[in-house]
Amino acid sequence: MSLPVSKQKALYEWKLYFFIIPSLLLVAVFAYWPTLSAIYHSFFRWGGGDNKEFIGLANFSRALQDGVFWGAFLTIAILVVANLFKMIPSIAMAVLIHRLRSERWQYWYRVLVVLPMIVPSLVTLFIWKFFFNPNMGALNSFLDLTGLKSLLIAADKAFGWGGVFLDGIPTAWLGEPALVIPALIIWGFPWLGAVGVLIFLAGLQSIGTEVYEAADLDGVTPFQKFLHIEFPLIMTQVRLMVVLMMIGTLQGYGLQFLLLGEDGGPGGRGMVPGLWMFNRAFFAGEFGYACALGLFLFAFILVLTMINNKFIRVEK
Amino acid sequence: MSAGNPLRERVLNGIGLGLLVVCFVAALGRILWKQFAPSQAGEKEKVIRFAHWQLEGGVREGFDAVAAEYMRRHPGVKVMQIPVPERTFQNWLVTQLVGGTAPDLIEMGMGMTDEHRARYFRPVSDIVNSPNPWNKGTSLENTPLRETFIDGLESGFSPTLLEYYGLPVSAFSLRMFYNLDLLKEITGAEKLPATYRELVALARQTREYSERTGRDITPVSGSRTYAPIILRRLFGSQTEQLSSRIAYDFLATGPDSPNAALLSDGYLDGKWSLENPEIVAGLELMRDLSQYMQPGFLQLGRDDAAFYFVQGHALMMATGSWDATSITTQAGFRIGISHIPVPAPGDPMGPFSLGPISDSGAAAGLVMGLTRQSAHPEIALDFLRFLASQPMNQRFSDVSKWAPSVVGVIPSSQAKIFQPFLDGFLGGVRLDFSGADSKRVVSTAYNRLMGAAGSTPAFLEAIKPAYSAALLEDLNRQTLTSRMNAQRTDTTLGALAWMHGQNPADASVSARLDLLLQAAANTDHTAWQTARARARVQAAQSPK
């Protein structure tokens, strides 16, 4: 394969290559080295210390039979589907900001959307944990005040949810197996991701005004504009966000760990692959096995990303 | 922008580069100064760092007071405290140990395994039979260090490695904290009842009071962390006889470090089951009392429960002595502290009870161990002995209001109730005794026992299918750990045997060899027990 530029041209300002050495070193030390180390240790029975025993593919074959690990993928599948829907408010907000006629108001809305980003994510997690508190949390208070609790009780009785909503008893959102996944989905309401809004907005702002003018001449309604102009033209951004969301959902476990503990909460219903990997490493002391689980996770994300790139094509 | 003004661009670039260089040099200089700066004494300052997870009120101040005194006496030494949040301590510990950046002294426990102890910590066995030099001039001047602690240094001893790995700084005990003002309002009394039966009656009375007055009051504040303190104690009151029947050495090891191999083997061999009346009785007790905790307590963390209690929403809360200072300073009402009762012998509420549970299993705590990564092990060990001396333990106890670990130290009036209660029984084994997997299986099913629609049969039905596999998984891990421990000591054993052969009269080598051989025998025994239990299960599972 030939280089896109001639060798002479590529080496003309060769000194510039020194500028990328620090970045390359950082990436090698903090990204590639741990990954290579994980691959290496996945072939060992290793407790995190210097004492380890080569066991070949035993960790991988054990992982293949690990019911908790594969069961955690079901939870992930539900969360990924839910997160797809949770992207809608960000897209809607981006469209609304984009359509504001006043640039000053656009600016202020962008600021308002970005402002929550300065709150550390851990603080947000703690606030949500408090929201879910059965006795003093905002969620149960809201349900009681609005009368929605009565509806939920009726639905519980009608559909046989197993008595998770009972009259006079505060709902334990993170204490009932049946409510764990709904709680994880509710988390983050109204699901306005600042990064998502900004990325979608960037995509929307690249749409030429002539397209809108033509649409106006054709008498296209605002919703049709979104459906036939805006949404197709921000598919690149949507695809990027879908990939990032899937990787984040598959890798993430901080939310589950903080809300439910290292065992995934009641019935282990909040167990996700990342949390199981963390559990095995730091609570069972099986670092080698956790490395093997991590490699499975890596392969899974890689395949999903490839599928996503192959099948969700953007028409240029 | 400035394409038409190259001079301006060059000046701006120069300023930018200059700022970068100045910042870099300043940062580098600061680090070098911190590392190599001479102390006031004119020598390079030696830094001793110690880490712990006790972030409760008073403890850091207690440590600071002792560290300040040590630094005053040793001008060339700086003692730094590293408080690490409990939630992240286990991860932090492993990362520091494996990464080679561990401080000189670390609080032992919380996820620390025999492998960690053997690989990363220096045994202090050599000093435990000599007096602590910092006890000079006290009543313990000639007492061997080991005997200066209220538990005879059992808390610092590893029964599997047969070495002492640390010295305790405080004593922990579990107690029932209560809102004294509220108790008086409800019952007219100022003291909690002494028996379990009366305690349950009080809980019922509190609930009735709450319903009658419309006030949001729960009898007992529970959480994932606090509820097990009282509930496991109740469970243990029913299983002690069972534990002693199955594991012959249970009385020697106690519920905090039971012989998991024997107990698991017993279960897998059918010597006991989840339907045993003792187990069922223990679970029934857990369920009954849990119904007096706030709904959904299983999802709450330690801080949530404490907040609920200090806000006046609960009459009682079971926790350890470590929370006393935080609770008493935060609560806007008078706090009472009492022992946690269990059913009396012969009480039909708990038919297998032997009597009150003693604190002997976990009397001394906050054990600080010396890491092998310490740059100044002699100074770190000296500071450790200083910390564990009678005068400094007195100071630590006075400032922190925590119960002392050293004999002869006078506890503060608040700490008196936390002095270990030794007139009782050990308490039996818990269902999550064997390790990470049994804990996972049991804890994720607690909602089936203690939830609004829970029951003992529902809980047993939930854990039974996975319980054997969990015990086996924990056993597997135990076998491997034992084997690795044995491998680790092989080289040392070989070297000691050779040294003993060269000079059989050397008593210190001989004693060390004896000790290591005994530890190796223990390890082999554990490995054999676990391997046997595993083989038995595998044989039972294979097709006939």
Side-chain angles (χ1 to χ4, degrees):
Chain A
M1 199 179 84
S2 62
L3 286 170
V5 290
S6 69
K7 191 177 173 186
Q8 192 187 8
K9 202 171 177 183
L11 294 175
Y12 180 68
E13 286 285 5
W14 59 269
K15 285 168 285 196
L16 292 177
Y17 289 109
F18 284 108
F19 285 97
I20 62 168
I21 287 178
S23 304
L24 272 181
L25 270 176
L26 288 173
V27 170
V29 170
F30 293 108
Y32 286 99
W33 173 249
T35 310
L36 292 172
S37 173
I39 294 171
Y40 170 74
H41 283 108
S42 63
F43 297 103
F44 288 86
R45 183 174 288 125
W46 179 50
D50 59 345
N51 212 350
K52 52 184 177 281
E53 180 187 353
F54 181 76
I55 52 169
L57 295 171
N59 280 332
F60 294 95
S61 62
R62 183 181 157 201
L64 285 172
Q65 298 161 38
D66 189 336
V68 180
F69 184 57
W70 297 108
F73 277 96
L74 180 66
T75 309
I76 280 293
I78 297 169
L79 292 180
V80 165
V81 172
N83 285 346
L84 276 176
F85 286 98
K86 284 163 81 171
M87 284 168 69
I88 292 172
S90 296
I91 296 173
M93 178 56 84
V95 171
L96 289 175
I97 294 175
H98 175 62
R99 289 192 187 176
L100 282 173
R101 288 177 193 278
S102 160
E103 282 195 13
R104 173 180 284 200
W105 278 108
Q106 276 198 8
Y107 169 77
W108 280 111
Y109 271 103
R110 278 204 303 270
V111 169
L112 282 176
V113 167
V114 172
L115 214 56
M117 278 180 81
I118 58 171
V119 179
S121 53
L122 198 65
V123 174
T124 315
L125 280 172
F126 276 115
I127 290 171
W128 269 93
K129 196 178 176 194
F130 192 69
F131 277 2
F132 285 128
N133 188 305
N135 307 289
M136 295 186 281
L139 186 58
N140 277 349
S141 304
F142 172 77
L143 292 177
D144 286 336
L145 280 174
T146 54
L148 281 172
K149 175 83 183 282
S150 316
L151 281 178
L152 289 169
I153 293 168
D156 188 340
K157 282 179 187 158
F159 299 111
W161 291 346
V164 290
F165 296 104
L166 296 168
D167 198 18
I169 297 177
T171 307
W173 288 94
L174 304 171
E176 283 287 344
L179 292 179
V180 166
I181 290 179
L184 292 177
I185 292 172
I186 292 171
W187 183 85
F189 183 83
W191 313 308
L192 273 179
V195 177
V197 172
L198 292 182
I199 287 177
F200 296 134
L201 204 52
L204 289 165
Q205 282 171 346
S206 68
I207 301 171
T209 49
E210 68 280 3
V211 183
Y212 286 101
E213 285 163 6
D216 286 337
L217 285 174
D218 289 343
V220 175
T221 64
F223 186 68
Q224 283 173 326
K225 269 186 204 167
F226 170 72
L227 213 60
H228 299 295
I229 299 171
E230 289 166 335
F231 190 65
L233 289 175
I234 60 164
M235 269 310 282
T236 310
Q237 285 75 21
V238 172
R239 190 175 69 165
L240 172 73
M241 288 307 292
V242 167
V243 172
L244 290 178
M245 179 273 288
M246 284 202 309
I247 293 174
T249 312
L250 272 161
Q251 283 184 334
Y253 62 88
L255 169 70
Q256 289 83 355
F257 179 50
L258 194 84
L259 294 184
L260 304 162
E262 73 272 12
D263 293 322
R269 293 292 279 275
M271 182 61 79
V272 288
L275 185 60
W276 184 236
M277 190 174 74
F278 179 74
N279 179 300
R280 292 297 89 183
F282 288 100
F283 292 91
E286 297 178 323
F287 281 82
Y289 182 55
C291 288
L293 293 176
L295 289 181
F296 270 102
L297 206 53
F298 165 74
F300 206 80
I301 292 170
L302 189 71
V303 170
L304 275 181
T305 310
M306 283 165 68
I307 292 172
N308 185 60
N309 283 346
K310 193 171 169 65
F311 293 104
I312 309 180
R313 285 196 174 278
V314 179
E315 297 296 332
K316 299 273 181 191
Chain B
M1 179 187 75
S2 53
N5 193 348
L7 181 66
R8 186 166 175 252
E9 192 176 336
R10 213 174 286 171
V11 169
L12 282 175
N13 283 345
I15 292 172
L17 185 68
L19 274 174
L20 201 67
V21 169
V22 167
C23 290
F24 178 74
V25 169
L28 191 70
R30 187 177 155 75
I31 289 168
L32 290 176
W33 175 258
K34 280 217 157 217
Q35 273 203 307
F36 301 109
S39 70
Q40 288 174 342
E43 296 164 0
K44 192 183 150 196
E45 193 173 60
K46 288 171 180 153
V47 179
I48 299 298
R49 298 177 302 146
F50 67 98
H52 61 88
W53 70 82
Q54 311 296 345
L55 304 193
E56 294 85 359
V59 184
R60 279 167 283 179
E61 291 78 4
F63 274 128
D64 278 343
V66 178
E69 180 59 28
Y70 191 80
M71 289 191 282
R72 193 183 65 77
R73 297 185 194 192
H74 301 81
V77 177
K78 185 175 182 182
V79 181
M80 282 173 64
Q81 184 178 174
I82 308 174
V84 182
E86 191 178 346
R87 190 188 293 274
T88 54
F89 188 85
Q90 203 164 334
N91 316 341
W92 177 88
L93 170 78
V94 175
T95 312
Q96 297 292 320
L97 292 176
V98 174
T101 53
D104 305 84
L105 300 163
I106 298 184
E107 181 177 3
M108 307 199 76
M110 192 161 320
M112 199 173 278
T113 62
D114 275 349
E115 190 186 354
H116 292 142
R117 284 188 189 86
R119 172 72 188 91
Y120 299 110
F121 286 84
R122 287 170 193 266
V124 293
S125 308
D126 291 345
I127 62 162
V128 299
N129 289 319
S130 322
N132 184 346
W134 291 105
N135 276 335
K136 204 168 178 184
T138 71
S139 57
L140 301 173
E141 183 170 357
N142 297 313
T143 311
L145 178 63
R146 191 170 57 176
E147 303 302 329
T148 64
F149 298 101
I150 53 172
D151 66 341
L153 201 51
E154 195 188 319
S155 51
F157 185 67
S158 164
T160 43
L161 300 172
L162 293 180
E163 295 270 20
Y164 289 92
Y165 278 98
L167 307 180
V169 178
S170 187
F172 293 145
S173 49
L174 303 172
R175 296 291 181 264
M176 188 71 97
F177 289 65
Y178 58 96
N179 182 333
L180 212 150
D181 295 337
L182 187 59
L183 179 71
K184 194 168 182 192
E185 203 178 308
I186 296 170
T187 66
E190 289 210 343
K191 281 194 168 176
L192 272 194
T195 70
Y196 178 72
R197 186 166 278 274
E198 289 167 338
L199 188 86
V200 174
L202 172 64
R204 203 177 303 123
Q205 192 181 352
T206 307
R207 177 151 291 166
E208 285 162 9
Y209 177 83
S210 169
E211 286 164 5
R212 197 172 62 241
T213 58
R215 284 176 61 186
D216 178 19
I217 298 167
T218 298
V220 185
S221 180
S223 68
R224 266 202 315 258
T225 322
Y226 286 144
I229 286 175
I230 183 167
L231 299 176
R232 281 180 183 160
R233 182 168 278 227
L234 289 175
F235 185 81
S237 74
Q238 301 304 297
T239 58
E240 181 160 6
Q241 298 176 56
L242 175 76
S243 309
S244 307
R245 276 206 311 273
I246 300 158
Y248 55 82
D249 60 352
F250 185 81
L251 290 175
T253 55
D256 292 318
S257 51
N259 189 326
L262 271 181
L263 289 162
S264 302
D265 189 26
Y267 180 83
L268 298 167
D269 195 28
K271 286 181 186 149
W272 66 283
S273 75
L274 295 172
E275 281 87 21
N276 258 64
E278 291 93 338
I279 302 286
V280 173
L283 292 173
E284 287 292 342
L285 274 178
M286 285 175 80
R287 169 156 177 83
D288 288 349
L289 194 69
S290 71
Q291 299 313 296
Y292 292 107
M293 296 179 179
Q294 70 272 46
F297 70 90
L298 283 171
Q299 78 171 62
L300 301 177
R302 174 183 167 173
D303 297 338
D304 299 315
F307 182 68
Y308 199 69
F309 178 71
V310 298
Q311 288 283 308
H313 291 298
L315 175 65
M316 298 174 269
M317 183 176 77
T319 182
S321 49
W322 53 85
D323 272 329
T325 309
S326 306
I327 288 173
T328 45
T329 50
Q330 286 174 35
F333 44 82
R334 289 182 299 156
I335 294 283
I337 303 168
S338 172
H339 290 274
I340 302 173
V342 296
D347 186 338
M349 285 181 105
F352 299 98
S353 202
L354 289 173
I357 307 288
S358 85
D359 295 325
S360 64
L366 219 176
V367 179
M368 302 297 292
L370 175 65
T371 62
R372 289 184 190 275
Q373 292 164 17
S374 170
H376 310 290
E378 302 82 18
I379 302 174
L381 189 62
D382 188 54
F383 175 68
L384 183 58
R385 281 191 284 202
F386 184 72
L387 191 60
S389 66
Q390 196 185 59
M392 287 306 111
N393 201 240
Q394 181 72 62
R395 183 170 297 188
F396 177 81
S397 179
D398 289 345
V399 177
S400 66
K401 305 280 187 285
W402 278 28
S405 62
V406 175
V407 173
V409 173
I410 301 158
S412 64
S413 57
Q414 179 186 297
K416 264 182 192 149
I417 183 73
F418 300 115
Q419 287 292 87
F421 165 74
L422 301 172
D423 189 15
F425 296 87
L426 270 176
V429 72
R430 309 187 294 249
L431 285 179
D432 56 358
F433 66 91
S434 66
D437 280 271
S438 66
K439 182 196 154 283
R440 179 177 55 80
V441 168
V442 170
S443 69
T444 54
Y446 271 149
N447 66 296
R448 303 287 299 271
L449 177 70
M450 299 183 256
S455 67
T456 300
F459 172 74
L460 291 176
E461 187 187 296
I463 69 165
K464 210 174 168 186
Y467 196 62
S468 298
L471 292 187
L472 199 61
E473 196 63 45
D474 287 333
L475 267 181
N476 273 337
R477 206 173 299 118
Q478 176 74 23
T479 312
L480 294 167
T481 308
S482 303
R483 213 179 64 203
M484 282 188 169
N485 286 339
Q487 283 170 353
R488 183 174 292 107
T489 52
D490 277 352
T491 318
T492 319
L493 265 176
L496 282 170
W498 180 81
M499 285 165 73
H500 183 64
Q502 296 294 306
N503 184 9
D506 189 334
S508 68
V509 171
S510 177
R512 185 98 188 119
L513 184 61
D514 276 351
L515 202 69
L516 263 185
L517 279 171
Q518 206 180 326
N522 279 355
T523 307
D524 283 345
H525 183 226
T526 310
W528 172 78
Q529 276 179 332
T530 48
R532 186 186 62 169
R534 220 175 48 188
R536 196 198 305 276
V537 175
Q538 276 157 0
Q541 285 172 347
S542 62
K544 302 272 182 226

